[in-house]
Amino acid sequence: MRMVDIIAKKRDGHELTTAEIDFFIKGYTAGTIPDYQASALAMAIYFKDMTDRERADLTMAMVNSGETIDLSAIKGIKVDKHSTGGVGDTTTLVLAPLVAALDIPVAKMSGRGLGHTGGTTDKLDSIAGFQTEITKEDFIRLVNDDKVAVIGQTGNLTPADKKLYALRDVTGTVNSIPLIASSIMSKKIAAGSDAIVLDVKTGAGAFMKTIDEAKQLANAMVKIGNNVGRRTMAIISDMSQPLGFAIGNALEVKEAIDTLKGKGPADLHELVLTLGSQMVVLANGADTLEEARARLEEVMYNGKAIEKFKVMLKNQGGDASVVDQPEKLPEAKFKIELPALQAGYISEIVADEIGIAAMQLGAGRATKEDSIDVSVGLMLHKKVGDRVEQGESLLTIHSNREDIDAIKQKLYDNIKISDQAEKLQLIYSVITE
Ligand code: URA
Ligand code: CA
């Protein structure tokens, strides 16, 4: 088999065989196929697309390019949730204990944040003592005993995807549905889950800027999952403004605690129940989404969900007393209000720019090597559609330095006030199998 023939075949719009896709992924991972040939094929795929069969084969070839996590020692159906990346997105932190409170196993592998989006592991770092670097044996034991554990990224998962994603990034081939869908799904499948719930974001803070693009991506991923034997569902949700009120690690932990008690911001509360219902149905914990939602609401309001969060913290060395005394979480030195310059209605809070502002305060990383300050971030007081009076605070800046004029300006530039504005729709679409 020759790589040049595979490139030409895709260039001419033909369907590649399973063997051809395997040959490419194996050779590229091993280094016997050079970057220039891989980038030519990526560009051919960008223009000629892939069939459902090719997409499933590409996903599994990438899964098999490295280690995979074996969660078979955990009893029950393990459902994972993946978000395509958001600003102030605290859902994972809420969902893990919430779903586990129904005795459904949640074995969560989580990463660090980069750029304007945060990572669950960073958020958990704001709880004194909490360890995500645990052994695989401990991870499995904790999920079997208490139904929930969070582990940092381990193992050499999907090396083909790492290499190909980096190459796509510099060859103008990131924005291809078959390539994005197989990239995301390969990582989820390698991480060992039996079923997958996807939160595909759309809007300024998201990868997919339009609802139509997001739908195409979600449908592609749901098809891949179901074609390779992993039940998969998805939703399309808004990420044009940040989710909830808190953006920043310790602030988001506090918001997660409120949400687990049923007192969270309306949008985060709704998103958690929507995604959680899909997770519960996929884990056979309910027959319908409605029944699943009722079960989740019950543990939210009877205290079982927040108790499960305490257990999760204690099990991994964390100080669970922050749940009842959130003032124990790291706090920034300065709390600076941002007064509205005019009265009106909030018409836009540009998610990605607000995320970057939080990152510049120290809440996120610009490069993988940066360290973060878990205490800093932003607390919004208004969301799109809300009325604001002149001089009323739009948000509180939690900062450890006072020289933040440039950040204030960035916030003003990205929070628009108009004569009228509607509240935004949160969930655009729910895609079941
Ligand atoms: N996220 C991924 O993991 N892969 C892509 O290709 C795009 C976004
Ligand atoms: Ca939030």
Side-chain angles (χ1 to χ4, degrees), residues 88-332:
D89 186 351
T90 322
T91 47
T92 299
L93 214 48
V94 182
L95 279 171
L98 178 67
V99 172
L102 295 180
D103 279 331
I104 292 168
V106 181
K108 188 68 201 168
M109 184 181 280
S110 236
R112 305 216 163 260
L114 190 62
H116 66 276
T117 65
T120 299
T121 315
D122 296 324
K123 292 169 200 182
L124 285 165
D125 276 348
S126 47
I127 296 162
F130 193 86
Q131 273 298 335
T132 50
E133 280 170 33
I134 56 176
T135 64
K136 209 181 136 236
E137 290 69 33
D138 281 343
F139 180 59
I140 287 173
R141 181 181 51 78
L142 289 174
V143 181
N144 272 332
D145 290 351
D146 285 317
K147 301 299 168 202
V148 63
V150 183
I151 189 171
Q153 231 110 52
T154 54
N156 183 24
L157 307 187
T158 61
D161 172 63
K162 286 196 187 84
K163 217 173 156 187
L164 192 58
Y165 195 12
L167 181 78
R168 286 164 53 213
D169 206 22
V170 293
T171 55
T173 48
V174 168
N175 236 326
S176 150
I177 298 274
L179 294 178
I180 299 171
S182 57
S183 166
I184 293 172
M185 291 302 287
S186 69
K187 284 178 281 225
K188 288 288 118 183
I189 291 163
S193 52
D194 304 311
I196 301 159
V197 170
L198 300 159
D199 180 10
V200 179
K201 307 286 197 185
T202 179
F207 209 64
M208 297 280 119
K209 303 292 178 204
T210 69
I211 298 171
D212 188 52
E213 281 176 322
K215 262 195 192 145
Q216 283 182 44
L217 179 61
N219 282 321
M221 291 194 287
V222 168
K223 249 197 197 134
I224 289 175
N226 290 309
N227 282 341
V228 303
R230 305 298 201 285
R231 285 179 74 192
T232 303
M233 294 186 187
I235 67 161
I236 315 281
S237 74
D238 178 69
M239 195 27 84
S240 59
Q241 67 177 340
L243 190 65
F245 297 118
I247 305 142
N249 300 282
L251 296 172
E252 287 187 53
V253 168
K254 164 99 177 36
E255 188 167 73
I257 292 168
D258 292 342
T259 308
L260 280 164
K261 293 174 178 169
K263 293 184 272 192
D267 57 349
L268 179 59
H269 178 90
E270 179 57 29
L271 190 62
V272 158
L273 288 174
T274 306
L275 290 166
S277 301
Q278 291 194 332
M279 291 175 73
V280 172
V281 166
L282 288 177
N284 290 340
D287 291 331
T288 64
L289 291 171
E290 294 71 28
E291 184 194 335
R293 190 182 176 103
R295 291 196 68 199
L296 290 169
E297 282 175 329
E298 190 185 348
V299 291
M300 216 180 227
Y301 294 116
N302 70 11
K304 283 198 176 147
I306 195 68
E307 277 313 308
K308 187 57 86 176
F309 188 54
K310 285 187 191 170
V311 169
M312 176 183 123
L313 296 185
K314 268 185 226 154
N315 280 347
Q316 296 188 229
D319 176 9
S321 72
V322 299
V323 169
D324 298 311
Q325 294 158 276
E327 63 277 7
K328 280 190 175 174
L329 289 164
E331 233 180 282

Side-chain angles (χ1 to χ4, degrees), residues 62-70 136 156-158 186 189-192:
M62 293 204 288
V63 169
N64 295 324
S65 73
E67 291 173 41
T68 56
I69 308 275
D70 180 6
K136 209 181 136 236
N156 183 24
L157 307 187
T158 61
S186 69
I189 291 163

